[in-house]
Amino acid sequence: MRSISLYDRVRRKSFLHQAWRDIRQNAIASKSIETKSEVSEFEIEIDKHLKRIKDQLRERRYHFQPAKGQLLKRPGKKPRPIVVAPIGDRIVQRSILLVLKGIATVKALLEQPRSYGGIPKRGVKDAVREVHEAITKAGRYYIKSDIIEFFARVPHPEALSQLMRVLPDRSLDDLLQEATTTELANMDQLAEHSEEFPIHEIGIAQGCSLSPLLANIVLHDFDRAVNSHDIICLRYIDDFLILGPTDRAVWAAFRKGTRILQNLGLDAYNPKDRSGKAMEGSTERRIEFLGCDISRGFIQPSKKAQARLLEKIRKLTRQSTRFFEKPYKVSSDYEKRSLAATLRMISNIVRAWGNQYSFCNADQVFAALDQDIDELMRKYIGTYATMRERFDKSNQRRMLGVHLLVDSKRDPVLAYRKRTGARDE
């Protein structure tokens, strides 16, 4: 019986439908209104779209379209270059990923015991748990660092070559090459920032579902070499933490790992550079890793993570307050800056943040944050109550966030006619 090729598996209905479900679920959780809207529109004719993709793959005429480059702003940091592909391309990329993750030889490359990012059934919670276990045992010293401009500098050809060498057939090679090559439709709009995107041979796209897989494959040798009988190196994509019994042992492991990275054209931040991008020290003090402060017997959201949460809430209330100043200017802000919409967004952010850090044993921290949020809400609602008195009932309703019929888009069949009485006959 002839075995089914990897390419033919990718175009199977079951894989394409699962890929779509994954993309839809991610869109539901997305903060981007544009993403939610795009996926909702695509879903209206999802059967038609999936049939088209399946047919094009079967006839080997599927081609990836240019993607859109976006710069994600980050407080105090350079913007992160994100590549957003058309939904059809995302479905094919994820279908490829689903097929690859089911191959034993690919699993062997990916499932290093101390690699956590982009690995099925592993995440931040598991990495943080292992850090705590390590510092309660023999981990007396640590170095925390991350790989400099990792996604922009990953050797794309090397990563693909390593992956293709372990595949059971070569049927997927061309599709893989095209799926992981970045072409941008909005190069002119990005201007001087275009060079920050992986549009050449070096680099992989942040935003592509295949990128974490390639990242973990290219760092396979790094994971194996740095971990040893007395050294633990935990890695989450480009962030890593080395723990060991002495500073000498940990520094030796760091230098070994740095040499491997340099052979790949990569490098890591060095704690001695004092750039603030890397840290070293005794595990008697807290370690900040993956957004958590970790010490013996205690795990809590980091001070930076707490500050970012409160700043997100302040930003939303500031934006809403500016809308309150001129609620009669009906625009898209009407829907997303009203009192009701703002409170809903804040609630969703707080809920998601609480779920993200649900593994922390930091009841006092959560209670203190709730008090801070209460105070922000008290000031915000007080501002709303004061400002609403300046306006008539229609504008008060806009501020509240309840739609007015007069704000609806109108396209009457007949010209407007003034009513002459209580009702027209």
Side-chain angles (χ1 to χ4, degrees), residues 145-150 219 237-238 240 261 266-269:
S145 183
D146 66 84
I147 303 171
I148 301 169
E149 297 179 354
F150 176 61
L219 293 174
I237 308 295
D238 55 337
F240 63 92
L261 292 176
L266 302 168
D267 205 352
Y269 291 104

Side-chain angles (χ1 to χ4, degrees), residues 29 31 305 308-317 319 341-357 373:
K31 299 174 186 176
R308 284 195 294 268
L309 171 64
L310 295 176
E311 182 52 35
K312 282 182 182 179
I313 295 172
R314 288 191 193 96
K315 182 178 179 181
L316 286 173
T317 59
Q319 291 171 337
T342 299
L343 292 177
R344 183 171 60 252
M345 285 189 286
I346 290 172
S347 179
N348 289 340
I349 287 170
V350 174
R351 181 184 294 109
W353 196 91
N355 291 339
Q356 180 182 348
Y357 290 100
I373 294 168

Side-chain angles (χ1 to χ4, degrees), residues 388-404:
R388 74 186 296 273
E389 299 305 320
R390 304 176 188 176
F391 300 102
D392 60 19
K393 292 187 182 299
S394 292
N395 282 312
Q396 288 179 4
R397 187 161 138 190
R398 291 187 181 103
M399 292 170 72
L400 185 62
V402 178
H403 188 77
L404 272 75

Side-chain angles (χ1 to χ4, degrees), residues 164-197:
M164 290 173 180
R165 280 199 296 268
V166 302
L167 297 182
D169 66 55
R170 308 306 298 270
S171 64
L172 207 53
D173 288 10
D174 291 341
L175 194 65
L176 256 176
Q177 179 72 54
E178 193 176 351
T180 57
T181 298
T182 302
E183 182 182 354
L184 298 178
N186 59 332
M187 288 282 287
D188 293 342
Q189 296 173 22
L190 295 168
E192 70 273 11
H193 295 289
S194 63
E195 288 299 316
E196 298 175 27
F197 291 83

Side-chain angles (χ1 to χ4, degrees), residues 168-347:
D169 66 55
R170 308 306 298 270
S171 64
L172 207 53
D173 288 10
D174 291 341
L175 194 65
L176 256 176
Q177 179 72 54
E178 193 176 351
T180 57
T181 298
T182 302
E183 182 182 354
L184 298 178
N186 59 332
M187 288 282 287
D188 293 342
Q189 296 173 22
L190 295 168
E192 70 273 11
H193 295 289
S194 63
E195 288 299 316
E196 298 175 27
F197 291 83
I199 53 178
H200 307 295
E201 280 198 342
I202 301 300
I204 52 179
Q206 294 189 69
C208 173
S209 60
L210 289 162
S211 291
L213 178 139
L214 294 179
N216 284 324
I217 285 174
V218 85
L219 293 174
H220 172 82
D221 290 343
F222 172 89
D223 292 333
R224 292 189 61 186
V226 180
N227 282 284
S228 64
H229 69 284
D230 62 345
I231 292 291
I232 291 174
C233 177
L234 300 109
R235 183 179 60 80
Y236 197 99
I237 308 295
D238 55 337
D239 291 309
F240 63 92
L241 177 69
I242 302 175
L243 295 151
T246 65
D247 59 345
R248 183 175 179 178
V250 170
W251 272 105
F254 179 79
R255 287 191 290 270
K256 181 192 290 186
T258 301
R259 288 194 295 271
I260 293 171
L261 292 176
Q262 289 171 347
N263 288 337
L264 293 167
L266 302 168
D267 205 352
Y269 291 104
N270 191 315
K272 295 194 181 299
D273 293 341
R274 306 300 177 193
S275 64
K277 301 285 189 178
M279 302 292 291
E280 63 168 326
S282 167
T283 58
E284 293 296 326
R285 299 186 294 275
R286 66 178 177 86
I287 300 173
E288 183 185 338
F289 186 56
L290 300 179
C292 295
D293 287 339
I294 309 164
S295 56
R296 289 184 178 86
F298 200 65
I299 299 170
Q300 70 176 45
S302 70
K303 299 290 186 184
K304 292 179 183 177
Q306 295 177 46
R308 284 195 294 268
L309 171 64
L310 295 176
E311 182 52 35
K312 282 182 182 179
I313 295 172
R314 288 191 193 96
K315 182 178 179 181
L316 286 173
T317 59
R318 286 195 299 266
Q319 291 171 337
S320 181
T321 299
R322 286 196 292 271
F323 163 68
F324 291 162
E325 293 172 355
K326 297 179 181 179
Y328 46 84
K329 288 194 171 182
V330 179
S331 66
S332 59
D333 283 352
Y334 173 28
E335 299 295 336
K336 60 186 180 182
R337 303 301 183 209
S338 67
L339 179 75
T342 299
L343 292 177
R344 183 171 60 252
M345 285 189 286
I346 290 172
S347 179

Side-chain angles (χ1 to χ4, degrees), residues 20-39:
W20 159 247
R21 287 193 291 271
D22 291 346
I23 288 166
R24 183 180 179 277
Q25 188 61 39
N26 289 340
I28 291 171
S30 174
K31 299 174 186 176
S32 169
I33 295 174
E34 183 180 353
T35 297
K36 291 178 186 289
S37 175
E38 185 184 7
V39 168

